[in-house]
Amino acid sequence: MKNKEQILVTGAAGQIGSELTPLLRKKYGESRVIASDIKTDIPSELKDSGPFEKLDVLSAGRLGEIIAKHKITLIFHMSAILSATGEKNPQLAWKVNTEGTRNILEASREHSIKKIFVPSSIAVFGPSSPRESTPQETILGPNTIYGITKVAGELLCGYYVSRFKTDVRGCRYPGIISHKTLPGGGTTDYAVAIFYEAVRKKKYTCFVNKETMLPMMYMPDCLKATCDLMDADFDNLKHHADFNVAGMSFTVHELAREIQRHIPEFTIDYKPDYRQKIADSWPRTIDDSAARKEWGWKPEYDLSSMTEDMLKELQKRKEKSGL
Ligand code: SER
């Protein structure tokens, strides 16, 4: 059954898309997973390992054409403008994140797509939300344009589930840490940059302060959450596109100390900028009991195992081809 699916990934060249696409190609067959992105200068391994289509998710016509041409049955909608870029260009963030998501939902309805994955984010929470063990159901009230678009996206997905019986799923990703493709313009990007700089220069200047704690997740867990939720039995889900998922939480200071266990000369200093305010409006830790109960979510990586793996992989890359 699985082998009959034809899959479209939007934002395939992004931080998550660039690792999700090869994983899906392995799982479903290379020719059955269509990578798409607004960019065309994408890594050759993505382009060469299966079909690629240039796609701006704001073009509903082009989206429909691609779906029809490849007889798409499942969509992973990974393209979005993240929080920090969003604050620099709120109009673009609103357009790409809300109209892009609406185009995906509408195209799915028109073309009878079986299932769609539409990610949300911890950014749906805001200054009035509880910051410790933030519950699944609580006051949201985000104060970033990114968070506002993600709340709109969650509500729109919920509307399509109840109004059109669309099968749409999604989780509220925390900051995603990975070593293959850099994240593009998020507030949690420091948790990736710190590793690159530790391996490159053994020092890092952080744009949020040392006590900043945010929920994070290592890429293998992010991919696992995405695929497990997509594979879950829809009838067992009470929530749909808004699952809290937790991996780990740490302060920047704790992360730096963990890196120093491997690179004792590593030093860090702090120059907080506009992203501090965004970080301060988000949860520190997340309660993901609904995801655990409804589809068996369980992360594998903690701060120590993630740090060890990140440093090992980046060091390998540095020696092979330079960072
Ligand atoms: N990583 C995202 C950001 O920082 C949060 O979902 O914008």
Side-chain angles (χ1 to χ4, degrees):
M1 187 63 188
K2 251 178 195 168
N3 292 335
K4 294 273 175 327
E5 305 298 356
Q6 285 286 116
I7 300 166
L8 175 66
V9 182
T10 70
Q15 185 195 14
I16 301 174
S18 66
E19 299 209 36
L20 179 65
T21 305
L23 181 78
L24 293 173
R25 283 185 171 157
K26 221 162 122 192
K27 193 167 159 186
Y28 293 93
E30 292 185 335
S31 62
R32 293 189 176 276
V33 180
I34 290 70
S36 73
D37 205 283
I38 194 167
K39 291 187 270 188
T40 43
D41 60 332
I42 63 162
S44 54
E45 56 167 314
L46 253 191
K47 257 190 173 164
D48 300 344
S49 66
F52 174 80
E53 298 279 2
K54 180 174 163 56
L55 172 65
D56 176 350
V57 291
L58 292 178
S59 171
R62 174 88 180 120
L63 175 63
E65 261 170 46
I66 294 172
I67 290 175
K69 175 178 162 192
H70 295 280
K71 301 190 172 52
I72 297 297
T73 59
L74 307 180
I75 301 179
F76 290 81
H77 177 43
M78 311 311 285
S79 59
I81 303 282
L82 297 186
S83 60
T85 309
E87 290 315 296
K88 298 221 154 116
N89 196 340
Q91 284 74 17
L92 182 71
W94 175 261
K95 259 184 110 126
V96 172
N97 295 359
T98 58
E99 283 177 34
T101 297
R102 195 186 62 99
N103 285 344
I104 294 286
L105 287 164
E106 206 34 36
S108 299
R109 188 173 75 83
E110 274 171 26
H111 294 265
S112 307
I113 299 296
K114 284 195 225 159
K115 292 186 209 179
I116 334 166
F117 189 89
V118 178
S120 187
S121 161
I122 51 161
V124 294
F125 299 109
S128 315
S129 315
R131 294 194 70 204
E132 302 292 343
S133 200
T134 307
Q136 176 71 46
E137 261 86 37
T138 187
I139 184 161
L140 299 176
N143 62 3
T144 61
I145 190 68
Y146 175 64
I148 292 167
T149 65
K150 286 293 169 185
V151 173
E154 286 185 358
L155 293 173
L156 196 61
C157 289
Y159 177 76
Y160 271 73
V161 173
S162 60
R163 179 79 170 77
F164 303 116
K165 309 256 173 298
T166 305
D167 181 338
V168 49
R169 297 122 189 262
C171 45
R172 293 169 173 161
Y173 288 139
I176 306 299
I177 300 173
S178 66
H179 54 79
K180 190 168 168 194
T181 306
L182 285 169
T187 300
T188 54
D189 292 12
Y190 65 85
V192 178
I194 191 171
F195 285 102
Y196 278 74
E197 296 307 291
V199 172
R200 271 185 194 133
K201 302 188 200 134
K202 300 189 175 19
K203 60 176 189 200
Y204 177 60
T205 301
C206 189
F207 58 75
V208 294
N209 66 35
K210 66 193 286 190
E211 298 309 333
T212 302
M213 176 186 278
L214 286 172
M216 301 281 175
M217 184 178 280
Y218 196 31
M219 183 60 89
D221 278 335
C222 168
L223 299 176
K224 182 162 108 76
T226 306
C227 294
D228 286 359
L229 176 52
M230 201 60 162
D231 289 342
D233 184 347
F234 192 72
D235 295 337
N236 292 340
L237 304 181
K238 290 194 186 68
H239 300 84
H240 297 100
D242 59 353
F243 280 100
N244 279 5
V245 282
M248 59 190 98
S249 280
F250 46 76
T251 64
V252 189
H253 181 60
E254 284 164 344
L255 174 59
R257 258 202 339 234
E258 191 62 33
I259 292 174
Q260 281 159 347
R261 288 184 50 223
H262 303 266
I263 309 175
E265 320 87 273
F266 175 66
T267 59
I268 183 162
D269 61 358
Y270 299 88
K271 285 205 181 92
D273 65 15
Y274 69 101
R275 289 167 282 194
Q276 183 70 54
K277 193 170 152 240
I278 302 177
D280 290 343
S281 76
W282 288 352
R284 285 161 55 86
T285 57
I286 291 283
D287 173 359
D288 62 0
S289 43
R292 287 175 187 257
K293 195 167 149 208
E294 291 177 41
W295 48 278
W297 164 244
K298 197 168 178 286
E300 275 170 14
Y301 283 84
D302 60 12
L303 173 59
S304 147
S305 51
M306 177 275 291
T307 302
E308 193 179 328
D309 202 57
M310 276 295 283
L311 292 173
K312 192 182 79 201
E313 291 297 329
L314 289 175
Q315 194 60 44
K316 252 200 292 189
R317 232 170 86 191
K318 187 181 167 195
E319 280 153 26
K320 208 170 142 206
S321 49
L323 260 191

